[in-house]
């Protein structure tokens, strides 16, 4: 969704990924000007930490190697003008 009055965007992405080694954390890149509303995996809200332009997402259980996973990533913010 584009909110023209405030020059803001709001939306979500479904991110599908293949696990290459067992892990309980993944990293997603997201510029600091974008705020995270929530991250959902298997109907569970996930914990995360910001690190400048990266998001470190923690899962409640280990993700097994060679599995395909999916998260729903909800965000909003003011994009940088080109």
């Amino acid at each position: 969704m584009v909110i023209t009055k405030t020059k803001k965007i709001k939306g979500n992405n479904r991110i599908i990924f293949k696990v290459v080694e067992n892990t309980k954390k993944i990293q997603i890149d997201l510029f600091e000007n974008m705020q995270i509303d929530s991250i959902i995996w298997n109907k569970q809200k996930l914990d995360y930490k910001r690190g400048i332009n990266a998001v470190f997402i923690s899962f409640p259980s280990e993700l097994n190697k060679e599995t395909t996973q999916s998260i729903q990533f909800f965000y909003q913010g003011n994009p940088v003008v080109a």
Side-chain angles (χ1 to χ4, degrees), residues 16-33:
I16 301 168
F17 59 97
K18 184 174 182 179
V19 181
V20 295
E21 59 183 61
N22 292 354
T23 187
K24 287 184 80 174
K25 288 186 178 182
I26 64 169
Q27 176 185 334
I28 302 292
D29 293 336
L30 183 71
F31 287 117
E32 282 184 300
N33 57 311

Side-chain angles (χ1 to χ4, degrees), residues 2 8-10 15 18 22-23 25 27-28 32 35 43 45 47 54-58 61 69 71 75 77 82:
V2 177
K8 190 175 199 175
I9 62 171
K10 184 174 185 172
I15 301 171
K18 184 174 182 179
N22 292 354
T23 187
K25 288 186 178 182
Q27 176 185 334
I28 302 292
E32 282 184 300
Q35 293 81 46
K43 300 180 182 178
K45 191 172 183 179
D47 293 329
V55 180
F56 302 93
I57 303 168
S58 299
S61 58
Q69 303 291 330
I71 59 174
Y75 62 93

